[in-house]
Amino acid sequence: MFSLKISTATLRRTTTTVLASGLIALASPLAATTAHAAAAPAVSGAGAYLLDNAKGTKLYGKADNTRRQMASTTKIMTAAVVLSQPKVDLNRKVTIKKEYRDYVKKEGASTADLQIGDKVTVGQLLYGLLLPSGCDAAYALADTYGTGSTPAARTKSFIAKMNQQAKSLNLKNSGFDSFDGISGGGKNYTTPADLAQIARYAMSKPAFRNVVKSPSYRGNAVASTGKTRTYTWYNTNQLLKSYKGAIGVKTGTGTAAGPCLVFAATRGNKTLIGVVLNGKDRYKDAAKLLDYGFGTKSATSMKLAPLPKGAQRD
C-alpha cells in the first residue's frame, strides 16, 4: 500500500495559502463593488438616473421610480411624437395662430415669440420647442399633429398620442395631460427612470439629436406681410458649453416640479443619458453623474457657461 506522509508544518503552510487565496478570490469582487458604490455621487436632485445609451442599462439611480412632475422636459415627448409620425415632413409650413400667443401670455410661459400669421416649418418649430422651450411652439405642433375640428380637440388628441407613445415604450410610471409641461390637473408626471428612456427614444431620431445639441438657431420664415422674418433662439441648456462632450437634452422648471434637467454626453464611443428632477444644483448634479459614468473628474472644475442676453430661462 502506498502511503503519503505530509509534515504538520507543510500542511499548515498549504492550508494557510489556500485560505488566503480563497479570501482574495472572494474579497476582490466585493471590494470592487464596494469601491464602485462608494464612488457614486451625492446629488441635490430629489430623483436622478443615469443610463448607458447603447445598452439601455442603469448606471445610477436615486428615487428613480418615484413619480414626479417634470415641467418642460415634457417637450421631449412632444418632439418624439411629432418625429414618430409616418413620413413626417420637417419642411411642412405651419401658420402661427393667435391662440398660440394668447396661451403663452395667459400662462406666463416660456416662448419662442412666434408671430401671428408667420409661416414656419415643422423643423423650425422643433427648434422653437426645444431651445427656448417655447410653449407657443409646443401648442403649434400639438395643434398640427392632433386630430379634430377645434384646437382643443386636436391638442387633446395629441396628448393621447403622447400617452400612447409612453405605453409603446412600456413605461408604467409616466402620464401626460399637457403638451408642454403646464399641467392644470397635476396629472403630468414621470420618473427619472422613465424620463431617461423617453430621452433615449427621442435621441434615436437624428432630427431630435441635431436640435438639442445646438447652442442656438437662426433661421428665416415668411412673415404675415409676405416679407422675411428672422428668428433667433438660444438653448436654455447651459450644460452644452460647460461640460465636455455634452450633446443635449432639455431643461424644465416649474413650481411643483422644481428645476429639472435631462442631459446627455458622449466621450469616445460611449454615450450616457441622465435625468435630474427637482434639483437645486441640476447642472452640477448632471456633471457629477456623467463623471461617474465616464470615470472622469470634470465636475470639480466645471464653470457654468452663462446664457446670452435676452435668452429664455427654463
Side-chain angles (χ1 to χ4, degrees), residues 69-78 133 176 180-181 190 195 198 250-253 260-262 276-277 314:
Q69 290 200 39
M70 68 286 208
S72 284
T73 62
T74 298
K75 291 166 183 163
I76 298 171
M77 182 62 96
T78 306
S133 199
F176 299 92
D180 59 2
T190 189
L195 188 51
I198 293 170
K250 185 73 186 74
T251 60
T253 304
C260 303
L261 181 66
V262 179
V276 173
L277 295 182
D314 183 29

Side-chain angles (χ1 to χ4, degrees), residues 91-241:
N91 293 314
R92 175 182 176 180
K93 286 187 169 56
V94 175
T95 301
I96 303 306
K97 299 177 183 177
K98 183 175 182 294
E99 288 94 331
Y100 309 159
R101 288 187 64 87
D102 289 347
Y103 171 76
V104 166
K105 184 178 180 180
K106 176 187 173 184
E107 298 293 342
S110 52
T111 178
D113 198 23
L114 299 172
Q115 298 297 306
I116 299 168
D118 284 8
K119 293 178 173 59
V120 300
T121 67
V122 169
Q124 288 175 320
L125 285 174
L126 288 172
Y127 277 97
L129 173 79
L130 295 167
L131 269 62
S133 199
C135 294
D136 45 356
Y139 195 158
L141 288 167
D143 190 29
T144 299
Y145 287 97
T147 56
S149 58
T150 65
R154 289 189 290 272
T155 54
K156 183 178 180 180
S157 164
F158 185 86
I159 292 167
K161 290 182 180 182
M162 296 170 72
N163 284 304
Q164 184 56 48
Q165 185 66 67
K167 287 182 180 178
S168 72
L169 293 173
N170 198 32
L171 305 179
K172 302 184 185 304
N173 288 306
S174 295
F176 299 92
D177 68 359
S178 165
F179 50 73
D180 59 2
I182 298 174
S183 176
K187 294 181 180 179
N188 203 76
Y189 60 86
T190 189
T191 66
D194 276 14
L195 188 51
Q197 293 297 340
I198 293 170
R200 183 177 182 238
Y201 172 71
M203 290 290 278
S204 72
K205 301 187 178 299
F208 183 89
R209 291 199 305 273
N210 288 337
V211 172
V212 297
K213 74 179 181 181
S214 303
S216 64
Y217 171 84
R218 184 179 176 87
N220 296 328
V222 178
S224 58
T225 60
K227 295 182 179 181
T228 298
R229 189 189 308 280
T230 300
Y231 284 101
T232 302
W233 296 310
Y234 298 103
N235 202 321
T236 59
N237 182 5
Q238 293 175 262
L239 197 70
L240 284 178
K241 291 185 176 182

Side-chain angles (χ1 to χ4, degrees), residues 52-57 200:
D52 182 307
N53 182 59
K55 301 175 183 177
T57 51
R200 183 177 182 238

